[in-house]
Amino acid sequence: MQRLASSRRLLQAALAPAPARAKSSLSAAAVAAPAPENGAALPKMPGFDYTPPPYDGPRAEEIFRKRGEFLSPSLFHFYDRPLNIVDGKMQYLFDEDGRRYLDAFGGIATVCCGHCHPDVVEAIVNQAKRIQHSTVLYLNHAIADFAEALASKMPGDLKVVFFTNSGTEANELALMIARLYTGCNDIISLRNGYHGNAAGTMGATAQSNWKFNVVQTGVHHALNPDPYRGAFGSDGEKYARDVQEIIEFGTTGRVAGFISEAIQGVGGIVELAPGYLPAAYNIVRKAGGLCIADEVQAGVARTGSHFWGFEGHGVIPDIVTMAKGIGNGIPIGAVVTTPEIAQVLTRRSYFNTFGGNPVSTAGGHAVLKVLEKEKLQENAFVVGSYLKEQLNKLKEKHDIIGDVRGKGFLLGAELVTDREKKTPAKAEISHVMNHMKDMGVLVGKGGFYGNVFRITPPLCFTKEDSDFFIDVMDIALSKL
């Protein structure tokens, strides 16, 4: 499902010259940036025909002061001098001075259609003008229409949708469904995986960076099938043996389920070794468990070759969770499963006040329409393949890049100070990010050691944008 017709044709298109773009109408202040220290010409940001309206709100210093006084101290920020982002349009963001930035992070793999896409904004505004909220205890076509559209994107018998407000909520619900359906408690997840920060999902998350010292029971963490840092390289079936051993030695022999991302996002854009998911799914199902695909970051056309990340592994899960991209920035998540499995939630009253809110679901439905109309999945494959190729060329030039991985617009570049030892370049990545920001490019970072560039732009990112991104990263790496 959702496979692209001809990968070869699309890759050829990726290498073709980029079409001419409209000249920017922005003021000099919107594009000005410091010149490289070596005196070389600064890469030129692609033209973009949009001028943000003047901003007369609080400045960054005032917002930062209020944030420190009134918001949780757990909140952190990128960059030595935090940015005050006040406007966005498609793949670009604008600060308080009107300066334009190329957004290669997409709000943590969340903005898929582009910032403030007019079709999505129109759907949200029109729905908000009619009714902003009622309750799912009444009928409203927005939730039903979006559920139908989502179900049409799913393989097999996955066609029953329950809406939530976030990916954490979706994963929390999926874990509960698996336990209720099977009558078992044990869940298997992957080391280095991230599934949320609520009670159950924090247990399934397997990175100490994201776990508090609270009770987390009933979860076993299997070896991560990481082709770059893993013990068995790219041999997926060898990693899957650990799942079998966990079941045999750590449980009663029966489990509730197995949850994994197709490409680990927070973990540093780690692709699972080939052959792993089919083998793991087979082992788990023989033990009576359900297979849960966490598509919060890898789903909704982001990998390009498929609409859902799990499709790239040739498997069909029993439960699929999603969020982020399905709303293009609107808070919404969802759990999709089969009619039979969905019945377990009728044993008691289960409710979510804002899950399926008409404004959120109207916006989500518009997202699916835009993805189809503008062929953004195809663009993610074409331009994402080109961008990955250029990143690999940078790897040949800069020894600090230890690995380039990912698919479509879910790409990672891991920085290491020693390629043989794979020593994480934790301080260096922050320096590079600050230099890139100064030249007009915003990018994310992640991974357990915080040394991996997370390149997850809106799916409207162009070949010209990719060239500018690479040129800027090249200069920033050269400054180390």
Side-chain angles (χ1 to χ4, degrees):
M1 185 183 114
Q2 296 294 322
R3 292 183 179 274
L4 298 179
S6 174
S7 298
R8 182 176 297 175
R9 174 179 61 81
L10 296 176
L11 277 172
Q12 289 173 343
L15 301 175
R21 296 286 301 272
K23 292 184 177 180
S24 172
S25 58
L26 294 173
S27 65
V31 295
E37 294 174 2
N38 60 10
L42 187 74
K44 186 177 181 180
M45 188 179 296
F48 189 64
D49 191 16
Y50 173 75
T51 302
Y55 174 73
D56 58 1
R59 304 289 293 180
E61 294 79 4
E62 174 65 10
I63 297 171
F64 192 63
R65 183 193 66 76
K66 288 184 178 181
R67 176 163 161 156
E69 184 175 356
F70 299 111
L71 291 175
S72 169
S74 67
L75 299 181
F76 56 92
H77 57 78
F78 282 163
Y79 308 117
D80 294 340
R81 291 178 298 164
L83 282 173
N84 179 22
I85 295 297
V86 302
D87 204 296
K89 181 65 67 172
M90 303 311 288
Q91 66 269 45
Y92 296 102
L93 292 169
F94 300 83
D95 69 12
E96 59 191 17
D97 296 314
R99 185 181 172 202
R100 178 161 59 107
Y101 297 85
L102 177 64
D103 181 12
F105 198 26
I108 317 180
T110 297
V111 179
C112 62
C113 297
H115 295 281
C116 297
H117 191 289
D119 291 6
V120 178
V121 170
E122 182 181 22
I124 292 169
V125 170
N126 287 344
Q127 181 59 55
K129 285 180 177 179
R130 294 187 65 87
I131 185 163
Q132 182 179 348
H133 179 75
S134 53
T135 167
V136 290
L137 299 176
Y138 307 140
L139 299 182
N140 186 282
H141 74 90
I143 183 173
D145 291 346
F146 185 33
E148 180 183 34
L150 268 182
S152 74
K153 296 289 187 182
M154 307 302 301
D157 204 26
L158 293 164
K159 59 184 180 183
V160 178
V161 184
F162 192 102
F163 287 110
T164 65
N165 302 293
S166 68
T168 290
E169 282 191 1
N171 284 330
E172 195 82 9
L173 176 57
L175 295 174
M176 185 177 76
I177 288 174
R179 285 166 165 153
L180 290 173
Y181 182 79
T182 62
C184 296
N185 186 58
D186 290 290
I187 295 288
I188 299 173
S189 67
L190 295 180
R191 296 176 191 173
N192 197 57
Y194 178 88
H195 301 288
N197 53 14
T201 52
M202 188 177 291
T205 292
Q207 294 187 49
S208 59
N209 302 333
W210 301 98
K211 295 167 79 74
F212 285 94
N213 186 26
V214 296
V215 175
Q216 299 168 44
T217 61
V219 181
H220 309 264
H221 301 117
L223 284 176
N224 190 34
D226 180 352
Y228 181 62
R229 290 186 176 272
F232 302 119
S234 296
D235 193 333
E237 293 190 6
K238 284 186 178 179
Y239 292 104
R241 293 174 191 168
D242 189 51
V243 176
Q244 182 65 51
E245 291 189 1
I246 285 174
I247 293 171
E248 291 175 350
F249 298 105
T251 75
T252 63
R254 307 287 291 178
V255 296
F258 169 85
I259 184 170
S260 73
E261 305 159 87
I263 298 177
Q264 293 173 339
V266 173
I269 317 299
V270 177
E271 295 185 72
L272 306 188
Y276 178 78
L277 275 190
Y281 274 30
N282 183 52
I283 291 167
V284 169
R285 283 172 171 154
K286 285 183 178 178
L290 300 183
C291 297
I292 304 168
D294 179 340
E295 292 286 319
V296 172
Q297 293 194 36
V300 197
R302 180 158 290 279
T303 61
S305 58
H306 302 82
F307 198 82
W308 305 108
F310 65 78
E311 292 179 297
H313 293 266
V315 297
I316 298 179
D318 302 296
I319 304 173
V320 181
T321 64
M322 62 198 72
K324 291 187 181 288
I326 64 169
N328 200 53
I330 291 292
I332 187 169
V335 176
V336 184
T337 189
T338 67
E340 178 186 350
I341 295 172
Q343 282 295 317
V344 299
L345 289 183
T346 64
R347 297 175 186 173
R348 296 289 188 276
S349 296
Y350 189 81
F351 187 75
N352 188 309
T353 298
F354 299 107
N357 169 275
V359 175
S360 296
T361 50
H365 197 183
V367 167
L368 294 184
K369 292 177 181 177
V370 169
L371 289 172
E372 187 75 23
K373 182 177 73 172
E374 299 185 2
K375 301 186 186 317
L376 293 183
Q377 180 182 337
E378 180 174 332
N379 189 68
F381 178 80
V382 170
V383 182
S385 298
Y386 172 79
L387 178 54
K388 186 176 182 181
E389 179 183 319
Q390 300 309 304
L391 285 167
N392 274 307
K393 289 181 180 179
L394 272 190
K395 178 186 172 185
E396 294 174 7
K397 181 177 179 180
H398 298 280
D399 289 342
I400 196 170
I401 300 179
D403 193 36
V404 171
R405 52 191 182 245
K407 295 180 179 179
F409 283 140
L410 190 59
L411 299 176
E414 180 161 352
L415 301 192
V416 294
T417 57
D418 186 311
R419 281 190 175 180
E420 292 298 319
K421 297 179 180 178
K422 301 178 182 177
T423 309
K426 295 182 284 187
E428 290 81 356
I429 196 170
S430 294
H431 291 309
V432 175
M433 286 181 66
N434 275 289
H435 287 315
M436 292 180 71
K437 183 261 291 182
D438 289 342
M439 288 184 279
V441 172
L442 307 180
V443 65
K445 69 173 179 176
F448 181 75
Y449 304 105
N451 67 318
V452 182
F453 280 116
R454 295 170 66 189
I455 306 163
T456 57
L459 306 191
C460 54
F461 212 71
T462 68
K463 182 174 177 288
E464 278 187 304
D465 295 324
S466 299
D467 289 337
F468 178 67
F469 176 91
I470 292 295
D471 288 344
V472 166
M473 180 177 278
D474 186 16
I475 291 174
L477 290 171
S478 298
K479 290 184 177 183
L480 291 175

